[in-house]
Amino acid sequence: MEILIRDIPEEGAQVAAKLFKKILSTRPQPVIGLATGGTPLRLYRELIRMHQSGELSFKDCTSFNLDEYVGLPPEDERSYHHYMRSNLFDQVDIDPSRIHLPDGCAGDLRQACRDYEEKIKEFGGIDLQVLGIGANGHIGFNEPTGSLASRTWVKILSEQTIKDNAIYFDDPEEVPRHVVTMGIATVMETRHCLLLANGAKKADAVRRMIEGPVSASCPASILQMHKRVTIVLDEEAAYLLTFKDHYKWVEGNKLDWQKYD
Ligand code: PGA
C-alpha cells in the first residue's frame, strides 16, 4: 500500500487529483470508478478546477459509481445520481452517455446488479477507483462481516452507517436501509484504488485497514491484498498509525517517476 499523509485535507485532495490526472493521461479511454459522501468533495473540486484551467479533460472517460440508495430516483437530491451531477459531472466535459451508476429503482434489482457487473467488464474493467472509508471500515456500502468475495448486489446498511448518513436527510427515518453497491470482489479487480480519509473520526478504521489483520470485520482491510492502492490521509486520520513515520520516510525517498507532485 502506498500511504501519503498530508497536514490538511486540501493538500490530500491536491495530490489525489494529480494521481488522477496521471492515470487519465496514460490511458486513451480511461475507465474511472467514483465515490460519493463528504470525503471526495475536495478532490472533485480540484478536478473541476484542473478541467477549467485546461489541464484535464474527461471527454474520453467512462465512469462507474460505487453505489446508490434503493428507492431514490436520480432526480431526488439525496440520490447519488444527483450528487454526482451537482458535484462533478455538470462541471466537466464527461459524455453523459458514458456515465454509469447503479439503478436503485430498477424493477428487478438483482438483474440490474448483474447487468452492472457485465457493463464494467464490457468496458474492460476500472482503471482507477476512488474510495472513501466508513467509520466502521466499510468501502462502498460493504458493511463489516459481509463477504469479502461479494459482487455488485443489494445490501442492508448497518445502523451506524444510517446514523452517519442521516445528516443528508431531514429525518434519520428517511435514510434508505437498502443500497446497491459494487462488491468487494468488484473493487479488488480494479487496476488502481485511490482511497481518501480525513479526520479523527476515521482514524481507527484507517488503522485497522492498513495495519490490522485482513478481516471481514473491517472490509477495507482487504485492500492489503490489492495490487495497487494509494491511500491519502490527513494527519488526523493518520494519528493512530504505528508506522506513520515509516510511510513518510518511504514517500520522502521516492524516485521522481514514483511521485505525483
Ligand atoms: P464520508 O463517507 O466520505 O461521507 O465520510 C465515506 C464512506 O462512507 O465511504
Side-chain angles (χ1 to χ4, degrees):
M1 289 173 141
E2 175 180 53
I3 321 284
L4 309 178
I5 301 169
R6 296 292 182 272
D7 288 343
I8 52 170
E10 283 70 19
E11 290 172 14
Q14 280 168 16
V15 69
K18 284 178 185 155
L19 186 158
F20 205 99
K21 182 178 161 192
K22 188 172 179 178
I23 296 205
L24 257 56
S25 66
T26 54
R27 303 252 178 353
Q29 296 203 303
V31 181
I32 51 178
L34 298 171
T36 49
T39 310
L41 288 173
R42 289 186 187 84
L43 167 64
Y44 295 156
R45 278 200 287 273
E46 184 60 15
L47 295 177
I48 292 166
R49 190 200 61 73
M50 285 176 159
H51 170 66
Q52 286 168 348
S53 67
E55 286 172 66
L56 188 66
S57 171
F58 289 77
K59 75 177 168 37
D60 297 317
C61 280
T62 298
S63 75
F64 286 91
N65 259 79
L66 272 176
D67 43 27
E68 179 57 286
Y69 290 110
V70 168
L72 294 190
E75 55 285 1
D76 189 307
E77 37 183 59
R78 300 158 307 176
S79 72
Y80 289 155
H81 281 75
H82 188 277
Y83 169 108
M84 288 309 302
R85 282 196 305 274
S86 52
N87 292 304
L88 184 66
F89 296 151
D90 285 353
Q91 295 168 74
V92 296
D93 57 346
I94 191 163
D95 175 350
S97 70
R98 296 198 201 198
I99 292 170
H100 304 89
L101 283 94
D103 180 359
C105 291
D108 183 342
L109 282 173
R110 289 178 295 182
Q111 189 55 46
C113 292
R114 289 188 203 103
D115 293 346
Y116 201 67
E117 287 277 328
E118 278 308 307
K119 214 27 149 204
I120 294 172
K121 281 207 193 89
E122 215 176 277
F123 280 92
I126 293 173
D127 293 309
L128 177 65
Q129 177 65 54
V130 177
L131 295 168
I133 181 170
N136 64 2
H138 73 204
I139 46 174
F141 272 136
N142 294 282
E143 300 285 33
T145 74
S147 165
L148 293 179
S150 60
R151 291 275 164 194
T152 301
W153 208 240
V154 179
K155 300 283 170 68
I156 302 166
L157 291 182
S158 68
E159 289 179 276
Q160 181 176 349
T161 301
I162 289 175
K163 256 188 236 144
D164 290 345
N165 289 6
I167 49 166
Y168 302 108
F169 292 78
D170 292 336
D171 178 347
E173 282 302 310
E174 288 174 16
V175 184
R177 294 184 181 188
H178 299 94
V179 291
V180 176
T181 180
M182 277 187 204
I184 297 283
T186 323
V187 170
M188 290 300 283
E189 275 172 11
T190 64
R191 284 184 272 281
H192 194 141
C193 287
L194 168 62
L195 187 144
L196 303 162
N198 298 312
K201 198 175 155 222
K202 300 291 174 75
D204 187 53
V206 163
R207 179 187 59 77
R208 294 172 71 209
M209 163 175 67
I210 299 173
E211 297 178 348
V214 173
S215 160
S217 55
C218 177
S221 65
I222 191 70
L223 294 174
Q224 292 174 35
M225 311 282 290
H226 192 288
K227 55 192 175 297
R228 192 95 177 83
V229 180
T230 303
I231 296 175
V232 182
L233 305 170
D234 73 346
E235 282 286 351
E236 288 188 6
Y239 94 96
L240 291 175
L241 292 172
T242 305
F243 302 109
K244 192 166 96 169
D245 291 345
H246 169 69
Y247 308 135
K248 291 187 175 182
W249 160 261
V250 169
E251 191 182 3
N253 285 287
K254 280 188 166 180
L255 301 169
D256 280 346
W257 56 269
Q258 295 174 312
K259 295 178 185 164
Y260 306 110
D261 52 7

